[in-house]
Amino acid sequence: MAEPSVGVAHVPAKSSGFSKHYALIILTLAYTSSHVDRGIVNILMPSIKAAFDVSDTLLGLMGGLVFALFYATLGVPIAMWADRGNRRNIIALAVTVWSGMTAACGLAGSFSHLLLARIGVGIGEAGSSPPSHSMISDLYPKEQRSTAMSVYTVGVYAGAMIGLVLGGYVVQNFGWRETFFVVGLPGLVIAALVRFTIAEPVRGGVDGLAGRDSNPDVSNAARVTAYFMALWEVFVHLWHTRSARHIIIGLTLVSFVGYGGLIFGPSFFARSLHLDMTKIGLIFGLTAGFVGGFGSILGGYLADRFSRKDMRWNAWVVALAKLVGMPLFIIFYMSSDLTIMIPVYVVSSVLGAFYLGPSFAMIQSLTPIHMRALASAVMLFVLNFIALGFGPLTVGLISDLLEPTFGVESLRWALFGTSFIGVWAAIHYYWAGQTYQADLAKLVGGDL
């Protein structure tokens, strides 16, 4: 899709320091809410399994594929809307929907009802990340974008922490239904903050490209046709941009391992170490929250810092972290001693969190401004459909298959086996780094 010229000088439009940082904080808060509501089932799985008498495969289906199918698929049309509509309002609506549907999970009368409510959560969350990525890219220039995206991705770890710590306490003392109410309803306040306290930034302003993606004199029919053409254009662009292709593959593989471990981690601790939910929530929550959040920011900072001299380090920082972290996975899953497991988990969580900020930032930097939200949606579609959809389902299925042989330890071996996929991911990040700078140059020169 060509970017029409509007005959104006393209001067970077900068938001004030306070307004852009405040907007980033609110968007991060919304992202945190999404990961609280998405991940709350992780700590509730033992209770849900007991309440509805379901297998690990069905738990993996609930935690992964049922949510991911709608979350990933609807992200694409919503991103098309966001590339032309008001991104702030879309995000506010999305937060409202997922918060309400999370609370509705507490009303489920059967496992089927719970699956339907989880579909509703997935539909709501589909409208959050693509427009948020696009807004952040219009608030921060590309030389600050990895750090800004890494701050935003703190929401993943803060959400995991809140869900696990708060969820562990509430389910232990009040019940799993009450836990859904407690974490879901506060999201309505966050939706109001998004809608009424932050502004929609100028598209392409910080890159000196304001106005280049606007074309108001287009009929609705032509616009719908253009959306489908834009979707195809984004797929082609990402596939033929070598570094973008490897980033998305690497990101998906890392997330495949991560989602399986995140969703079944509490159940592993409950079965193999016989800990109660409050203690599991504290261990997983505080480590995933504070340590993972620190790792996310550190990964973005190191990527920005090292890439000042060599742009390849945007991707190579992630590749190195994955390779260093692999031996830690082996130690973690081969032990049952918390004095060994917790320090190893802390270090591996720091390294494991390096990937999100640089990955999101590189995809945005490799994409023309008129397709940034849609590019993010395509990336998240691939990531979530494959990683979130099939990562937990694969772990659950392997656990059920191994259960006749390994008994209660079958989940440990399922998680251990899938962790080796991280090495495969590191290879793709290495390849992405090799071509990243050249692909950026092609984009600036108009060859991509």
Side-chain angles (χ1 to χ4, degrees):
M1 183 183 293
E3 294 178 50
S5 173
V6 295
V8 297
H10 301 302
V11 179
K14 298 181 180 179
S15 303
S16 70
F18 173 79
S19 64
K20 72 179 182 182
H21 296 331
Y22 175 77
L24 178 60
I25 290 170
I26 297 301
L27 292 175
T28 303
L29 190 61
Y31 197 43
T32 299
S33 170
S34 75
H35 278 271
V36 172
D37 291 8
R38 178 189 312 187
I40 192 62
V41 295
N42 304 347
I43 197 72
L44 303 182
M45 276 191 174
S47 298
I48 293 171
K49 183 180 179 71
F52 297 118
D53 191 24
V54 292
S55 66
D56 283 347
T57 302
L58 285 177
L59 290 177
L61 183 70
M62 176 193 67
L65 186 60
V66 165
F67 175 92
L69 183 63
F70 291 86
Y71 173 67
T73 304
L74 291 178
V76 173
I78 292 174
M80 291 180 177
W81 178 19
D83 270 332
R84 294 295 181 271
N86 188 299
R87 294 164 290 183
R88 176 201 62 192
N89 293 351
I90 293 170
I91 296 167
L93 177 61
V95 180
T96 301
V97 172
W98 83 57
S99 300
M101 294 308 297
T102 296
C105 288
L107 302 174
S110 67
F111 190 71
S112 297
H113 293 162
L114 183 59
L115 291 181
L116 289 174
R118 287 290 293 174
I119 288 172
V121 178
I123 291 171
E125 293 197 17
S128 174
S129 286
S132 294
H133 289 186
S134 180
M135 284 183 69
I136 293 169
S137 294
D138 286 330
L139 291 169
Y140 293 88
K142 61 178 177 294
E143 59 269 19
Q144 300 174 9
R145 210 163 277 156
S146 282
T147 300
M149 286 292 187
S150 294
V151 171
Y152 174 73
T153 61
V154 167
V156 175
Y157 307 100
M161 178 185 69
I162 294 169
L164 289 165
V165 175
L166 180 62
Y169 174 79
V170 176
V171 71
Q172 187 78 27
N173 293 280
F174 299 97
W176 65 270
R177 295 183 184 277
E178 290 78 5
T179 307
F180 280 119
F181 301 145
V182 168
V183 302
L185 295 178
L188 301 177
V189 177
I190 297 173
L193 289 174
V194 173
R195 175 61 182 83
F196 298 111
T197 70
I198 64 175
E200 173 78 359
V202 177
R203 295 180 191 273
V206 296
D207 294 316
L209 302 173
R212 288 182 61 181
D213 65 331
S214 61
N215 191 4
D217 300 322
V218 178
S219 68
N220 287 335
R223 193 177 296 277
V224 171
T225 301
Y227 283 170
F228 283 103
M229 292 177 62
L231 178 59
W232 175 249
E233 181 186 13
V234 169
F235 271 110
V236 170
H237 171 77
L238 293 175
W239 180 255
H240 287 288
T241 304
R242 289 172 296 174
S243 53
R245 181 169 70 241
H246 287 302
I247 290 164
I248 292 174
I249 294 172
L251 178 63
T252 301
L253 293 171
V254 172
S255 300
F256 188 96
V257 177
Y259 277 124
L262 182 65
I263 288 175
F264 277 105
S267 294
F268 161 57
F269 265 48
R271 296 181 197 180
S272 295
L273 303 180
H274 309 292
L275 302 180
D276 63 45
M277 287 297 107
T278 300
K279 188 174 294 185
I280 292 172
L282 285 171
I283 293 172
F284 267 85
L286 294 177
T287 304
F290 290 113
V291 176
F294 169 75
S296 180
I297 294 175
L298 179 62
Y301 170 77
L302 292 175
D304 279 340
R305 180 68 180 271
F306 293 155
S307 65
R308 292 173 190 170
K309 294 184 178 180
D310 188 339
M311 294 295 289
R312 294 177 295 183
W313 278 103
N314 276 291
W316 286 356
V317 160
V318 181
L320 185 60
K322 292 295 113 185
L323 291 176
V324 173
M326 191 62 238
L328 299 178
F329 276 110
I330 297 174
I331 296 171
F332 180 78
Y333 286 119
M334 290 296 97
S335 177
S336 293
D337 184 348
L338 283 178
T339 61
I340 296 173
M341 296 177 75
I342 292 178
V344 168
Y345 185 50
V346 167
V347 177
S348 65
S349 293
V350 172
L351 295 171
F354 273 26
Y355 74 108
L356 277 179
S359 299
F360 289 171
M362 285 187 287
I363 291 299
Q364 291 291 295
S365 296
L366 288 164
T367 304
I369 62 166
H370 69 281
M371 60 171 73
R372 279 178 173 169
L374 188 52
S376 176
V378 169
M379 172 191 69
L380 292 171
F381 170 80
V382 175
L383 184 160
N384 287 296
F385 184 75
I386 296 175
L388 179 55
F390 293 95
L393 183 60
T394 299
V395 171
L397 180 60
I398 293 173
S399 176
D400 284 337
L401 291 173
L402 295 179
E403 195 274 336
T405 302
F406 294 99
V408 73
E409 295 293 338
S410 64
L411 186 54
R412 179 198 296 270
W413 289 105
L415 291 167
F416 173 74
T418 55
S419 68
F420 284 88
I421 295 173
V423 177
W424 182 9
I427 295 171
H428 284 283
Y429 276 104
Y430 172 75
W431 286 339
Q434 287 185 307
T435 61
Y436 182 59
Q437 189 161 354
D439 288 337
L440 281 177
K442 289 180 182 179
L443 181 66
V444 173
D447 295 330
L448 282 180

